[in-house]
Amino acid sequence: MRGSSADGRMSGFALTLNALFAVIEFGVVAMAAAGFEEVADAAPFGRTGTIALCGVSAVITCAGAVLAWRGVSGPVGALTGILLAASIGLTALLALSLVTAGGAMIILVVPLAHAVFSMATIVWAIRRAVPMVERR
């Protein structure tokens, strides 16, 4: 199964999978931050900040996947790419802080690392987006 077309664009299915897995992973981390005091203490943003980061990152990831699939470029695509890049940086910081905290929180680094990879893939797809009008 190919994840991209002949001109290098990602398929809608691949974009959907990347966004879906990232949203699920952010949900897992948000629930862990809400439910476990150790996770909230190890996170640099605290409980509320970690939950907010996960929620906002999930929304931005979904928006980026839809925009990349629709072929939106220009200022909207650039703004979405910048927001995704900022979210990638904050998510990587969260993962790094959980690694340095040690203990059982290290298990949350795996979904965060995959979410970072998924968001980076969506940023790549936004950069390669071709408007729907030009595809026909």
Side-chain angles (χ1 to χ4, degrees):
M1 175 176 61
R2 291 182 47 165
S4 62
S5 64
D7 58 357
R9 290 180 292 111
M10 287 186 74
S11 68
F13 183 70
L15 286 166
T16 302
L17 283 180
N18 277 315
L20 178 67
F21 287 136
V23 167
I24 290 170
E25 290 157 345
F26 281 127
V28 167
V29 173
M31 285 191 295
F36 298 107
E37 192 68 35
E38 299 86 17
V39 176
D41 290 340
F45 314 116
R47 172 172 290 155
T48 307
T50 301
I51 294 170
L53 172 67
C54 290
V56 169
S57 295
V59 170
I60 293 171
T61 301
C62 289
V66 168
L67 292 176
W69 176 65
R70 297 297 298 166
V72 175
S73 58
V76 175
L79 177 64
T80 307
I82 290 169
L83 290 174
L84 272 168
S87 179
I88 287 170
L90 292 173
T91 304
L93 177 65
L94 176 61
L96 182 64
S97 68
L98 293 177
V99 165
T100 58
M105 282 85 55
I106 288 181
I107 195 68
L108 293 175
V109 173
V110 174
L112 287 173
H114 187 263
V116 165
F117 174 76
S118 294
M119 287 189 295
T121 305
I122 291 171
V123 170
W124 176 82
I126 289 172
R127 296 270 303 135
R128 308 240 344 144
V130 176
M132 290 285 257
V133 176
E134 292 180 19
R135 290 185 205 171
R136 296 180 185 166

